[in-house]
């Protein structure tokens, strides 16, 4: 079955960077786009960007341009999301989610990133 | 940029029908999906491509999309359906989410 397993919770100081991983199994990793979505405490879902695992092509929401980088490692079927210059308002649960059937059909368990001095 | 608008909250009595709307410009020309999220859990897709129900999703969940409005309908609502629901559409390859609707079953 499809599984997306994300890395564990992180605590970062303002100005630091964070890297979250998303290891895929149960399907052909390169054939399905991967998206990253975040959710601040008590807030809604916020789309961050997309990566095509086949060629590494990316697209980012304008809000995160210049601060987020999405990459992948096809040898380990893992997608990565790195965000720099973290601020307290970036405290959120970060999710990876696979695209199939024109929807985000499988989601990771989420990674809580806390930004605090 | 493209925007989707949902009511912040909807209430329904057990066994009744709940309808949650999602509005966006010419939404009917984009595929709409709906996600259910319970506290502390990851979102789960309940409707995709306007009307399609993934395997494992109960038949009481249905969707429609016409004009500027997509609608998620839950027939015979159960207590377990109490959750936040998000609509989603595509703006080219980019994802757009609605602000979410809290469904209360009381």
């Amino acid at each position: 079955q499809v599984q997306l397993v994300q890395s564990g919770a992180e605590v970062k100081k303002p100005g630091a960077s964070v890297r979250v991983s998303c290891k895929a199994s149960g399907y052909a990793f390169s054939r399905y786009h991967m998206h990253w979505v975040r959710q601040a405490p008590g807030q809604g879902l916020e789309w961050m960007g997309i990566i095509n695992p086949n060629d590494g092509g990316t697209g980012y929401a304008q809000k995160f341009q210049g601060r987020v980088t999405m990459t992948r490692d096809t040898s380990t079927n893992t997608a990565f999301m790195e965000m720099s210059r973290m601020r307290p308002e970036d405290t959120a649960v970060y999710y990876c989610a696979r695209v199939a059937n024109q929807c985000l059909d499988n989601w990771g368990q989420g990674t809580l990133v806390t930004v605090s001095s | 940029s493209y925007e989707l608008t949902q009511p912040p909250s909807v209430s329904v009595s057990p066994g009744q029908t709940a309808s949650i709307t999602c509005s966006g410009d010419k939404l009917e020309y984009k595929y709409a999906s709906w996600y259910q999220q319970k506290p502390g859990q990851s979102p789960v897709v309940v409707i995709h491509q306007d009307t399609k129900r993934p395997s494992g999703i109960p038949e009481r969940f249905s969707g429609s999309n016409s004009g500027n409005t997509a609608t998620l309908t839950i027939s015979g609502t159960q207590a377990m359906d109490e959750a936040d629901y998000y609509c989603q559409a595509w703006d080219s390859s980019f994802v757009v989410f609605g602000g979410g609707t809290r469904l209360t079953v009381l």
Side-chain angles (χ1 to χ4, degrees):
Chain A
Q1 75 284 17
V2 174
Q3 273 197 307
L4 300 175
V5 179
Q6 299 184 221
S7 49
E10 303 260 14
V11 179
K12 295 293 181 182
K13 293 197 182 302
S17 297
V18 70
R19 191 190 199 206
V20 178
S21 67
C22 170
K23 184 170 177 59
S25 61
Y27 73 98
F29 177 67
S30 294
R31 291 184 58 187
Y32 297 83
H33 292 179
M34 192 76 78
H35 291 247
W36 290 87
V37 176
R38 77 176 186 179
Q39 186 172 37
Q43 302 300 308
L45 302 174
E46 182 175 30
W47 181 76
M48 299 181 67
I50 175 180
I51 183 166
N52 179 348
N54 186 48
D55 61 9
T58 55
Y60 304 131
Q62 188 169 8
K63 175 176 181 176
F64 301 106
Q65 290 270 5
R67 249 193 349 129
V68 72
T69 303
M70 296 176 187
T71 57
R72 92 293 187 219
D73 180 346
T74 55
S75 69
T76 60
N77 292 344
T78 304
F80 301 93
M81 187 283 299
E82 182 167 5
M83 182 176 285
S84 61
R85 304 190 302 278
M86 298 285 284
R87 305 185 277 257
E89 53 266 38
D90 293 318
T91 293
V93 176
Y94 289 76
Y95 295 100
C96 59
R98 186 190 82 155
V99 172
N101 298 317
Q102 297 286 321
C103 70
L104 305 179
D105 74 331
N106 280 273
W107 295 63
Q109 83 277 20
T111 297
L112 175 62
V113 178
T114 303
V115 184
S116 174
S117 54
Chain B
S1 60
Y2 195 75
E3 293 185 359
L4 296 172
T5 302
Q6 299 180 234
S9 63
V10 168
S11 297
V12 63
S13 299
Q16 299 304 302
T17 297
S19 295
I20 301 173
T21 58
C22 173
S23 299
D25 186 46
K26 298 181 177 65
L27 183 54
E28 68 176 339
Y29 295 112
K30 305 176 186 291
Y31 274 136
S33 298
W34 291 91
Y35 303 85
Q36 176 193 70
Q37 187 181 34
K38 296 181 178 179
Q41 298 183 18
S42 301
V44 173
V45 59
V46 294
I47 293 291
H48 64 91
Q49 293 171 282
D50 296 337
T51 61
K52 298 181 178 179
R53 206 169 4 90
S55 60
I57 301 301
E59 290 184 11
R60 63 180 180 273
F61 288 86
S62 63
S64 64
N65 188 2
S66 179
N68 294 326
T69 303
T71 303
L72 173 68
T73 302
I74 310 173
S75 305
T77 307
Q78 300 183 8
M80 69 172 65
D81 301 329
E82 187 162 283
D84 293 328
Y85 291 86
Y86 295 90
C87 63
Q88 175 257 312
W90 296 91
D91 185 8
S92 185
S93 297
F94 289 7
V95 167
V96 180
F97 288 107
T101 299
R102 176 149 297 176
L103 178 67
T104 301
V105 182
L106 40 67

